[in-house]
Amino acid sequence: MNTTPQPDPRDRPARLAVGVVGAGRVGPVLAASLQLAGHRPVAVSAVSDASRRRAEQMLPGVPVVPPAEVLERSELVLLTVPDDALPDLVSGLADTGAVRPGQLLVHTSGRYGAKVLDPALRAGALPLALHPAMTFTGTPVDVQRLAGCSFGVTAPEELRLAAEALVIEMGGEPEWIAEENRPLYHAALALGANHLVTLVAQSLELLRTAGVGAPDRMLGPLLGAALDNALRSGDAALTGPVARGDAGTVRAHVAELRRHAPQTVAGYLAMARATADRALAHGLLKPELAEDLLGVLADGATGTGGTDGTTGTGGPGETR
């Protein structure tokens, strides 16, 4: 066992004064994780009561000041504002002279790369795009979740090592994303994570409507297994009536959704069509069954077809 005393992280060289512009769910968490690595949060900007409470919880004792003052006090600035607000924020800070030469300016937007920071770059700042591929609650549990979290990293080549070092200090894993690929990268994450929340919430509501007393307990193991199988096996993990070509079952689903939750029909049909296309392309859905299935989906989109769970043909092979 190594009994050699370990140095305090705060005694390491190149520890930075960290500021946060935008105390949403992300910024204070990242600042808190950098604090664990020995950096010093020195200022945060917050507008709403909720953001002020979040800043106090995650960064106790750190003063809440206007954005320009955050930059004045900081060597490393985290710009953690909504994507659509980022370009105007950067331009405004640069135009007012708030940006200092040599200052590390980090944004956490998934959509943008480093070029959105060009106005600050012209003022002498060092631009980094570090996007954590994680959903945040804005609470201390998020700091733990950063361990092993992938970060989409985009920066000028000469700052690549600095960007990757900051990610590692926060407990993350850097993944280099080319500037031109940032929108596609972000779309992929939104498709997988944001839409998943909507799908799960809809499923919970439908199960409650069906009389299930503990829908979360029912879905937990199922969704956990489905996610694990999908990550391991991709399209080979597809199961269910669409992948099997059970057109009658799918028609019954659409009929019940129209009756009990019409707002879910469009999403169900869109995902069923996408699933059918992938199952067919990978040989999981038999072509002879695909025709009836795609017909049901087309009927569902127009609101036609029976509501008794049949396809209208009465043929065999429509049950599991």
Side-chain angles (χ1 to χ4, degrees):
M1 179 178 178
N2 184 5
T3 58
T4 303
Q6 298 298 307
D8 191 311
R10 291 168 293 185
D11 296 332
R12 298 172 186 166
R15 299 297 89 186
L16 300 171
V18 179
V20 180
V21 176
R25 296 183 180 184
V26 178
V29 171
L30 298 188
S33 66
L34 287 169
Q35 186 173 35
L36 291 176
H39 299 285
R40 296 180 296 107
V42 295
V44 58
S45 71
V47 177
S48 68
D49 290 341
S51 63
R52 288 176 175 272
R53 288 193 298 269
R54 190 178 297 113
E56 176 59 31
Q57 179 188 25
M58 298 299 302
L59 303 170
V62 175
V64 177
V65 298
E69 191 171 341
V70 172
L71 269 71
E72 181 181 343
R73 299 184 181 200
S74 308
E75 299 162 304
L76 166 63
V77 181
L78 301 174
L79 303 179
T80 53
V81 297
D83 290 0
D84 287 353
L86 182 61
D88 287 344
L89 172 66
V90 175
S91 296
L93 291 173
D95 290 345
T96 58
V99 179
R100 301 198 312 273
Q103 194 168 44
L104 283 166
L105 212 58
V106 177
H107 80 70
T108 58
S109 166
R111 170 186 172 186
Y112 291 108
K115 286 190 178 300
V116 72
L117 298 173
D118 276 354
L121 174 65
R122 291 190 289 270
L126 306 178
L128 308 175
L130 309 179
H131 174 252
M134 176 59 63
T135 181
F136 285 80
T137 64
T139 63
V141 70
D142 294 335
V143 177
Q144 301 171 11
R145 288 177 174 171
L146 286 178
C149 167
S150 291
F151 279 65
V153 177
T154 306
E157 186 63 33
E158 61 271 20
L159 295 176
R160 179 168 180 160
L161 290 179
E164 293 176 344
L166 285 172
V167 170
I168 291 170
E169 285 192 319
M170 288 186 281
E173 296 287 341
E175 185 72 40
W176 193 256
I177 308 294
E179 180 79 31
E180 64 271 17
N181 290 336
R182 291 290 291 207
L184 179 61
Y185 151 81
H186 195 225
L189 296 180
L191 186 66
N194 302 153
H195 296 177
L196 176 63
V197 174
T198 300
L199 291 172
V200 172
Q202 287 182 341
S203 183
L204 288 168
E205 291 174 353
L206 292 169
L207 287 172
R208 292 189 189 99
T209 302
V212 175
D216 53 342
R217 188 171 63 211
M218 177 175 285
L219 279 181
L222 173 64
L223 297 184
L227 177 60
D228 184 64
N229 290 343
L231 292 174
R232 291 174 183 270
S233 305
D235 289 297
L238 283 172
T239 62
V242 172
R244 290 192 301 268
D246 290 345
T249 299
V250 172
R251 186 182 291 274
H253 287 177
V254 175
E256 286 301 295
L257 292 177
R258 285 199 187 283
R259 182 177 298 118
H260 296 287
Q263 72 278 7
T264 67
V265 172
Y268 178 94
L269 291 171
M271 290 303 300
R273 179 57 192 256
T275 300
D277 289 344
R278 299 189 74 89
L280 190 59
H282 288 80
L284 301 174
L285 174 59
K286 297 177 181 179
E288 60 269 25
L289 297 178
E291 184 176 356
D292 282 349
L293 176 67
L294 295 176
V296 167
L297 297 177
D299 288 346
T302 60
T304 60
T307 59
D308 59 355
T310 68
T311 63
T313 63
E318 300 198 274
T319 59
R320 185 169 181 173

